[in-house]
């Protein structure tokens, strides 16, 4: 590796393992999967230096095999939230006073542990606990998480490097202090990398953290804590708890030392959190930092000049990889009438080759949705669409939860561009297509911009450069991440900083320096070497 500021390694993106038949990595990952399935584990909370077990247990099961128990986790209550806050605050002084290079070394070591000895264990935990296939787990739990850790260390060094100029006789400097209090990390089920990044990015900047993951991601979150502890993270810097959302909120959002929240989840939850923080603003020692990435109703616009193979591939990958449960997944498509028959034929052909089943079978492209609530919600939308005369179920439409929560990839073609599945966030493998007349491209861009409250990701597929330019400009507020001639998913750390605005969040761009700046409170220091000894300025002298 090249060396950067203060000899910090200049990061490059972690190479993606392909897991092809006969490869060593395929053999090792399958062994990790077999080991995880054969052993039930007791998952503790991590509070200070203690692994905390309770008598109140809950099972963690694969979404694609919900009768198989991977382990049990200890459910906490309000007292555990208080203990986690106390442990974080007790660790705060030592942690924030530790030289930043020492903090950096811990997270660089964690990245190397994930890249090496923990790669297959963390990927297997993600495949089993969150029902991701081998490739989706690899690009998430291994590659993206490693990239977050390494790139964030580089961004941290750049932040500390940026200093003001100084005039003669004066030395100006800026101290990037951690926030005064603790940070609450509330993380989602769908990306192990996000679950790891939200607490570690704040901790890297010298903050202490209380971390509550989604219940359906606890199995992999436990592995993350094992990695961080082996990397040398001091006790109490990140405290992992499994409590209900209301219990966490009641304690955290009333605590005077609450200094910020790092959130990924639903828009409704985030808005309620924001409202609660506002109502309690008089209780806090400082104005809390509120950073959140929430929902999306992500789009693909296909112009009449688009290449049909490119369009079909972008749709199928963007909509159905990880069962449409990426924040960035395509869920609405607007396609020009002149090329729709060819695109439709390609989609039907390729979807007929999709295999759906457990993640342990590497030939399965489609796996299960995360839980029964998600399954039931999606099934209701599909049933309603089947009964609507204005909707064609072009593909899919079937579902079964006997063994796992399997929703067949479903494509709906609608007459009404404001049909509910074009507007509502579904978070599953259900895609809605609206076919427009080619000459109505301008009107469709307005429709795309105004249909949804969200503004996370979107793409334009076209060969006509004027159409590309027009869509890029007209949809500039409709997506925080915008793609040209590609699917609307797959942001890479260091290449496409991720985040959206409007109802999709605060757009503080995970995987960039912008995000890390939210976790520091700058102090400007001016030192004068030869101070003035007389209050009088020259203009006061008599003529």
């Amino acid at each position: 590796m090249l060396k950067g500021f203060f000899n910090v390694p200049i990061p490059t993106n972690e190479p993606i393992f392909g897991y092809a038949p006969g490869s060593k990595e395929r053999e090792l990952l399958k062994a990790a999967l077999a080991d995880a399935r054969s052993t039930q584990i007791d998952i503790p909370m991590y509070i200070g230096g203690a692994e905390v077990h309770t008598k109140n247990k809950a099972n963690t099961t694969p979404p694609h095999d919900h009768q198989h128990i991977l382990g049990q986790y200890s459910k906490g209550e309000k007292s555990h939230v208080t203990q986690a806050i106390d442990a974080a605050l007790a660790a705060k002084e030592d942690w924030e006073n530790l030289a930043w290079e020492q903090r950096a070394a811990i997270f660089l070591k964690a990245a190397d542990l994930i890249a090496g000895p923990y790669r297959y264990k963390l990927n297997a935990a993600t495949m089993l606990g969150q029902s991701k296939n081998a490739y989706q787990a690899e690009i998430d739990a291994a590659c993206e998480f490693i990239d977050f850790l390494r790139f964030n260390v580089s961004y941290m060094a750049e932040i500390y490097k940026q200093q003001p100029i100084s005039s003669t006789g004066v030395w100006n400097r800026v101290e990037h202090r951690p926030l005064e209090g603790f940070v609450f990390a509330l993380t989602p089920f769908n990306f192990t990398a996000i679950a790891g990044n939200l607490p570690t990015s704040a901790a890297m900047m010298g903050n202490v953290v209380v971390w509550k993951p989604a219940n359906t991601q606890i199995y992999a979150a436990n592995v993350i804590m094992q990695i961080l502890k082996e990397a040398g993270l001091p006790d109490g810097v990140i405290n992992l708890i499994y409590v209900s959302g209301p219990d966490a909120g009641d304690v955290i959002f009333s605590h005077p030392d609450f200094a910020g929240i790092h959130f990924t989840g639903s828009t409704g939850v985030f808005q309620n959190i924001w409202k609660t923080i506002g109502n309690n603003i008089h209780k806090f020692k400082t104005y809390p930092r509120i950073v959140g990435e929430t929902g999306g109703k992500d789009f693909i616009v296909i112009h009449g000049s688009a290449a049909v193979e490119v369009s079909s591939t972008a749709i199928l990958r963007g909509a159905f990889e990880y069962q449409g449960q990426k924040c960035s997944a395509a869920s609405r498509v607007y396609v020009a009438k002149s090329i729709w028959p060819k695109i439709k034929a390609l989609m039907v052909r390729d979807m007929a080759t999709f295999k759906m089943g457990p993640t342990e079978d590497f030939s399965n492209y489609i796996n299960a949705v995360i839980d029964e609530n998600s399954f039931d919600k999606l099934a209701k939308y599909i049933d309603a669409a089947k009964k609507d005369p204005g909707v064609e179920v072009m593909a899919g439409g079937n579902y079964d939860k006997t063994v796992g929560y399997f929703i067949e990839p479903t494509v709906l073609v609608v007459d009404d561009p404001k049909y509910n599945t074009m507007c509502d966030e579904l978070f599953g493998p259900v895609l809605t297509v609206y076919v427009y007349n080619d000459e109505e491209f301008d009107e469709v861009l307005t429709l795309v911009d105004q249909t949804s409250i969200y503004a996370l990701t979107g793409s334009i597929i076209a060969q006509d450069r004027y159409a590309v330019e027009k869509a890029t400009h007209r949809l500039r507020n409709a997506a925080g991440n915008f793609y040209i001639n590609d699917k609307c998913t797959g942001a890479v750390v260091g290449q496409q900083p991720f985040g959206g605005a409007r109802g999709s969040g605060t757009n503080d761009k995970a995987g960039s320096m912008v995000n890390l700046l939210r976790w520091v409170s700058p102090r400007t220091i001016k030192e004068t070497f030869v101070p003035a000894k007389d209050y009088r300025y020259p203009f006061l002298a008599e003529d």
Side-chain angles (χ1 to χ4, degrees), residues 71 86 196 215 248 283 295 320 335 351 368 395 412 415 432 481 530-531 541:
D86 291 344
N215 289 343
K283 298 180 179 180
F320 299 127
V335 57
M351 290 182 73
L412 310 176
D415 297 332
T432 308
N481 281 56
V530 183

Side-chain angles (χ1 to χ4, degrees), residues 47-49 81-92 208 235-237 239:
I47 301 176
V81 183
T82 300
Q83 291 171 26
I85 294 171
D86 291 344
L89 294 176
K92 181 173 176 57
V208 290
D235 295 338
V237 173
N239 302 274

Side-chain angles (χ1 to χ4, degrees), residues 157-179:
E158 288 298 319
I159 288 171
Y160 293 145
K161 180 181 177 181
Q162 293 177 8
Q163 294 293 323
I165 63 171
S166 296
S167 55
T168 303
V170 171
W171 183 18
N172 298 314
R173 51 197 185 270
V174 170
E175 176 188 1
H176 293 280
R177 303 168 299 179
L179 304 182

Side-chain angles (χ1 to χ4, degrees), residues 92-365:
K92 181 173 176 57
E93 183 176 0
D94 287 343
W95 179 244
E96 69 179 26
N97 288 327
L98 186 68
W100 72 266
E101 298 95 333
Q102 304 300 325
R103 297 199 308 269
I106 292 169
F107 296 107
L108 291 175
K109 181 175 180 179
D112 281 3
L113 289 171
I114 299 167
Y118 277 91
R119 190 184 205 106
Y120 306 106
K121 182 175 183 177
L122 187 57
N123 281 357
T126 301
M127 291 174 69
L128 293 173
Q130 293 140 262
S131 202
K132 284 197 171 188
N133 65 38
Y135 180 77
Q136 293 299 319
E138 168 72 9
I139 62 175
D140 166 23
C143 297
E144 186 172 23
F145 191 15
I146 291 166
D147 287 350
F148 273 133
L149 294 168
R150 290 175 176 164
F151 276 85
N152 280 347
V153 166
S154 179
Y155 297 142
M156 175 174 64
E158 288 298 319
I159 288 171
Y160 293 145
K161 180 181 177 181
Q162 293 177 8
Q163 294 293 323
I165 63 171
S166 296
S167 55
T168 303
V170 171
W171 183 18
N172 298 314
R173 51 197 185 270
V174 170
E175 176 188 1
H176 293 280
R177 303 168 299 179
L179 304 182
E180 194 174 6
F182 68 92
V183 173
F184 179 36
L186 186 54
T187 63
F189 78 84
N190 58 339
F191 278 89
T192 296
I194 296 175
N197 180 57
L198 267 56
T200 58
S201 56
M204 189 178 293
M205 302 307 293
N207 295 284
V208 290
V209 180
V210 175
W211 172 23
K212 172 183 151 40
N215 289 343
T216 43
Q217 199 270 327
I218 286 173
Y219 190 64
N222 178 59
V223 180
I224 291 174
M225 280 303 297
Q226 292 172 356
I227 293 167
L228 293 175
K229 289 175 74 68
E230 185 168 334
L233 187 73
D235 295 338
V237 173
I238 295 176
N239 302 274
L240 178 59
I241 56 174
Y242 318 131
V243 299
S244 71
D247 279 357
D250 286 349
V251 177
I252 289 171
F253 300 133
S254 296
H255 198 287
D257 289 300
F258 170 62
I261 180 170
H262 206 183
F263 175 92
T264 296
S266 76
T267 299
V269 170
F270 191 55
Q271 289 179 347
N272 285 335
I273 287 172
W274 199 301
K275 182 178 179 180
T276 301
I277 292 171
N279 289 338
N280 292 345
I281 198 69
H282 60 285
K283 298 180 179 180
F284 309 130
K285 293 179 180 177
T286 185
Y287 291 104
R289 302 291 174 88
I290 306 175
V291 177
E293 188 256 294
T294 62
K297 191 65 184 173
D298 308 305
F299 60 84
I300 298 176
V301 179
I302 300 175
H303 185 257
S305 67
V308 293
E309 296 90 349
V310 170
S311 301
S312 175
T313 301
I315 292 170
L316 297 183
R317 284 185 169 182
F320 299 127
E321 287 183 341
Y322 191 41
Q323 298 77 257
Q325 295 174 120
K326 299 183 181 184
C327 310
S328 54
S331 60
R332 54 185 173 126
V333 171
Y334 304 79
V335 57
K337 185 175 183 180
S338 62
I339 59 173
W340 171 238
K342 291 182 179 179
I343 294 173
K344 178 179 179 180
L346 290 172
M347 290 174 62
V348 170
R349 180 199 69 186
D350 287 346
M351 290 182 73
T353 69
F354 285 3
K355 287 188 64 180
M356 181 168 67
T359 59
E360 295 91 324
D361 180 349
F362 283 25
S363 67
N364 289 325
Y365 182 63

